[in-house]
């Protein structure tokens, strides 16, 4: 909560493609949507007034939609009012920036926090026009994506130079993990501009207590949750399952209903499952309602997070908060969140044998898995609950405002005769 000496702030969060109102599990809807929504809600719990600016991607959306008391979502008319892949949105960012600038001339926020590089690009233009302090969170970096995806990377060529420009122009970078700090240093972004604040999880929603998903059978249950894109490593989980006799795998993510079977990644995973002889033990649910995710994580004997690369990775935290052991690749933010041998096991990326061996170890030693679950829950409560994450974020907002105060006072003072 804000103290008597710290007035509530008017905070603008900019998230051009990741609306806090979006359904999760699609190609461009995942951890950033959750992060922005929970950041906004918890800032409002602390007494602040928050507006989230996101692109209008449907003609049915009104200009403003309340998310909850203290939080409005402003749908910015930039580009066609329909879903557009985020890597195709760069031409819309000039209009997005112009709308932000006009809006902030009429309703001036105290501080702006942009999320993802295109939001940062639009915010940079609008914030400079209006003399506003702004902080930036990347959520993912173009250098990392290019390194791992190569020619398959669909990001605009302007992405990496724009990310560098944002990093050198904003008042503060709020990085989510140590791996990101190292990447930014390699981009020659000054380290004194960077602070690390992790993503958070709600330990009341993601709790060991509560209903559990109905298991598809009596076998040990492995679970993977997240966007159904190749880099998330569901194919690796299927390959590992062939080396874990008797276990079943539930993969939750991707489109729902009739669209599921037409999805290219779903078709690829089904082919792989058939080739490995595990088709009867792989269950693809499609995207789940958010309320169904905690019961699924609680029911698992282990949650698999086998991404090729992961800027942060919220699923390990959600699993740990549910008291479920995690087997994750040692990449990105997962190196920070999962403590090897304490809250779960870390394995090399792209190594189905190592993933399978870690899973077999956990399933053979259920007492150890339970200890991992208890330790994971303890770690979430100590470091990753939203109240703590937002308190750290708010502290950086006030530091930026305090650093700006002398310049603003000087600009407002009358000239000496």
């Amino acid at each position: 909560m804000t103290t008597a000496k710290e007035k509530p702030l008017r905070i603008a969060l900019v998230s051009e493609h990741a609306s806090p109102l979006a359904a999760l599990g699609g190609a461009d809807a995942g951890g950033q949507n959750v992060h922005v929504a929970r950041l906004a809600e918890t800032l409002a719990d602390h007494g602040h007034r928050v507006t989230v600016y996101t692109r209008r991607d449907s003609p049915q959306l009104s200009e403003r939609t309340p998310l909850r008391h203290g939080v409005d979502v402003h749908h910015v008319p930039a580009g066609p009012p329909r879903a557009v892949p985020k890597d195709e949105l760069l031409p819309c960012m000039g209009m997005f920036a112009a709308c932000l600038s006009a809006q902030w001339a009429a309703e001036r926020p105290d501080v702006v926090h942009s999320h993802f590089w295109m939001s940062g690009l639009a915010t940079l233009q609008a914030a400079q026009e209006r003399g506003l302090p702004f902080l930036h969170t990347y959520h993912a970096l173009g250098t990392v994506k290019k390194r791992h995806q190569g020619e398959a990377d669909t990001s605009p060529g302007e992405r990496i130079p724009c990310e560098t420009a944002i990093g050198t122009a904003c008042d503060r970078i709020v990085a989510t993990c140590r791996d990101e700090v190292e990447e930014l240093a390699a981009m020659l972004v000054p380290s004194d501009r960077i602070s690390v604040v992790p993503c958070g999880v709600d330990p009341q929603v993601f709790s060991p207590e509560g209903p559990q998903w109905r298991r598809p059978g009596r076998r040990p249950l492995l679970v993977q949750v997240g966007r159904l894109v190749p880099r998330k490593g569901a194919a690796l989980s299927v390959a590992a399952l062939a080396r874990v006799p008797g276990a079943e795998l539930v993969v939750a993510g991707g489109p729902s209903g009739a669209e599921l079977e037409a999805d290219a990644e779903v078709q690829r995973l089904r082919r792989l499952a058939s080739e490995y002889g595990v088709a009867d033990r792989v269950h693809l649910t499609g995207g789940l309602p958010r309320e169904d995710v905690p019961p699924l994580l609680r029911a698992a004997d282990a949650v698999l997070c086998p991404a090729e690369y992961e800027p942060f990775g919220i699923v390990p935290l959600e699993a740990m908060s549910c008291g479920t052991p995690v087997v994750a690749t040692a990449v990105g933010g997962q190196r920070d969140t999962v403590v090897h041998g304490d809250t779960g096991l870390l394995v090399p990326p792209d190594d189905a044998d190592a993933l399978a061996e870690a899973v077999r170890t956990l399933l053979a030693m259920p007492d150890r898995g339970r200890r991992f679950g208890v330790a994971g829950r303890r770690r979430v409560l100590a470091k990753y609950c939203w109240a703590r994450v937002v308190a750290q974020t708010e502290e950086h907002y006030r530091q930026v405002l305090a650093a700006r105060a002398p310049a603003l006072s000087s600009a407002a003072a009358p000239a000496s005769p």
Side-chain angles (χ1 to χ4, degrees):
M1 301 293 291
T2 57
T3 68
K5 294 182 179 180
E6 296 178 329
K7 71 178 183 68
L9 300 175
R10 297 181 301 276
I11 300 168
L13 303 181
V14 183
S15 181
E16 99 292 335
H17 77 275
S19 169
L21 300 173
L24 302 182
D28 291 332
Q32 183 179 330
N33 305 68
V34 174
H35 181 92
V36 171
R38 294 298 292 127
L39 177 61
E41 291 167 349
T42 313
L43 284 167
D45 288 340
H46 288 204
H48 304 294
R49 181 72 199 181
V50 183
T51 303
V52 182
Y53 295 87
T54 192
R55 198 184 73 85
R56 183 170 180 253
D57 61 3
S58 168
Q60 281 73 48
L61 292 171
S62 58
E63 181 178 347
R64 282 183 181 263
T65 302
L67 181 63
R68 48 145 289 179
H69 177 70
V71 182
D72 288 333
V73 178
H74 185 105
H75 295 108
V76 178
R82 57 177 172 79
V84 176
K86 67 175 183 287
D87 286 338
E88 299 175 14
L89 286 175
L90 183 58
C92 304
M93 289 303 102
M95 177 61 73
F96 199 102
C99 291
L100 291 178
S101 183
Q103 185 65 37
W104 294 341
E107 299 178 61
R108 184 181 179 86
D110 295 306
V111 66
V112 182
H113 187 175
S114 54
H115 296 262
F116 198 64
W117 74 274
M118 279 185 283
S119 297
L121 192 63
T123 298
L124 174 59
Q125 178 181 328
Q128 287 185 338
E129 288 177 2
R130 299 303 168 193
L132 292 168
F134 86 99
L135 301 87
H136 181 71
T137 296
Y138 288 97
H139 291 279
L141 286 168
T143 53
V144 178
K145 188 176 181 185
K146 188 70 175 177
R147 184 185 313 133
H148 286 274
Q149 295 192 2
E151 294 302 316
D153 180 11
T154 57
S155 299
E158 299 91 335
R159 177 172 181 171
I160 294 172
C162 284
E163 287 180 333
T164 302
I166 294 162
T168 55
C170 69
D171 292 83
R172 182 74 56 87
I173 296 164
V174 183
T176 58
C177 64
R178 293 173 298 168
D179 187 75
E180 187 178 343
V181 176
E182 295 167 4
E183 291 288 340
L184 289 167
M187 294 164 59
L188 304 182
V189 175
S191 59
D192 60 0
R193 290 181 167 272
I194 307 171
S195 301
V196 176
V197 179
C199 299
V201 67
D202 187 337
Q204 293 183 315
V205 173
F206 292 91
S207 164
E209 307 300 327
Q212 290 193 5
W213 182 271
R214 185 176 179 180
R215 287 171 175 252
R218 295 185 178 182
R219 300 161 168 160
L221 178 62
L222 311 176
V223 166
Q224 180 170 344
V225 177
R227 291 186 295 129
L228 211 57
V229 292
R231 77 166 181 87
K232 292 291 187 177
L236 196 73
S237 293
V238 172
L241 185 69
R243 299 158 170 85
V244 185
E248 299 201 52
L249 172 67
V250 170
V251 179
S256 301
E259 297 180 3
L260 182 65
E261 294 307 318
D263 184 79
E265 183 68 359
V266 168
Q267 293 173 359
R268 183 173 79 103
L269 293 173
R270 291 211 188 281
R271 286 195 301 271
L272 287 172
S274 294
E275 291 170 7
Y276 284 117
V278 295
D280 63 324
R281 295 194 280 134
V282 175
H283 310 276
L284 304 175
T285 70
L288 295 179
R290 192 66 180 158
E291 62 270 18
D292 288 347
V293 175
L296 178 59
L297 297 177
R298 288 185 201 113
D301 294 288
V303 171
L304 309 186
C305 304
E308 297 173 14
Y309 68 96
E310 190 62 84
F312 181 79
I314 197 66
V315 174
L317 283 185
E318 293 174 343
M320 288 159 55
S321 190
C322 288
T324 303
V326 175
V327 180
T329 44
V331 297
Q334 294 179 166
R335 295 191 299 149
D336 286 0
T337 54
V338 180
V339 181
H340 181 70
D342 184 37
T343 69
L345 298 173
L346 291 171
V347 299
D350 301 315
D351 190 334
D353 287 329
L355 181 62
E357 182 180 355
V359 170
R360 290 195 302 267
T361 297
L362 272 181
L363 296 182
M365 304 173 68
D367 287 345
R368 190 183 189 196
R370 283 189 285 271
R371 289 197 300 271
F372 284 177
V374 170
R377 174 73 176 178
R378 187 185 308 120
R379 182 168 173 79
V380 165
L381 294 175
K383 295 177 65 69
Y384 297 105
C385 60
W386 268 109
R388 179 181 175 87
V389 168
V390 169
Q392 294 177 63
T393 306
E394 182 184 350
E395 180 181 353
H396 292 306
Y397 291 169
R398 295 199 181 276
Q399 288 175 358
V400 164
L401 288 169
R404 282 266 192 144
L408 294 174
S409 299
S410 175
S416 300

